[in-house]
Amino acid sequence: MSRPRIEFPCDYPIKVIAESQIGLVEEVVAIVRKHDPGVDMGRVSERASRQGNYNSITINFRATGEIQLKQLFADLKECDAVRLVL
């Protein structure tokens, strides 16, 4: 029997690549907070692309299981500006 790749609960980083727009970080953090209300801005980092068209937002949150991760990824992908969730 193989061990699971991730042992839950755990701190889990996600990266969101999205088109640059006003309020983007706040919108992404609000979506993540639906799944982990304990996320604060100290666990969020943002980096703009070279030309400033896209932003990379990394958030470390508390993952509780596969279902939570799948729902979070689906919710993030529903955001119009989001292009990729890793």
Side-chain angles (χ1 to χ4, degrees):
M1 198 164 157
S2 65
R3 296 182 66 199
R5 295 189 336 225
I6 302 172
E7 290 189 27
F8 295 104
C10 64
D11 286 335
Y12 192 90
I14 58 166
K15 183 178 281 194
V16 178
I17 309 296
E19 291 180 22
S20 187
Q21 65 182 33
I22 295 172
L24 175 66
V25 173
E26 292 79 7
E27 183 176 359
V28 169
V29 169
I31 293 168
V32 174
R33 282 187 178 143
K34 290 180 190 176
H35 301 275
D36 177 10
V39 169
D40 63 47
M41 294 307 285
R43 302 186 76 174
V44 178
S45 64
E46 178 184 20
R47 196 168 136 204
S49 66
R50 219 175 272 157
Q51 296 178 350
N53 297 328
Y54 295 92
N55 285 35
S56 169
I57 303 163
T58 302
I59 302 174
N60 288 296
F61 74 102
R62 192 72 176 160
T64 58
E66 291 283 335
I67 293 170
Q68 177 206 34
L69 289 178
K70 287 179 183 178
Q71 290 173 340
L72 172 58
F73 277 53
D75 287 351
L76 287 167
K77 289 177 183 177
E78 286 182 19
C79 177
D80 289 337
V82 172
R83 295 294 166 249
L84 185 63
V85 180
L86 305 170

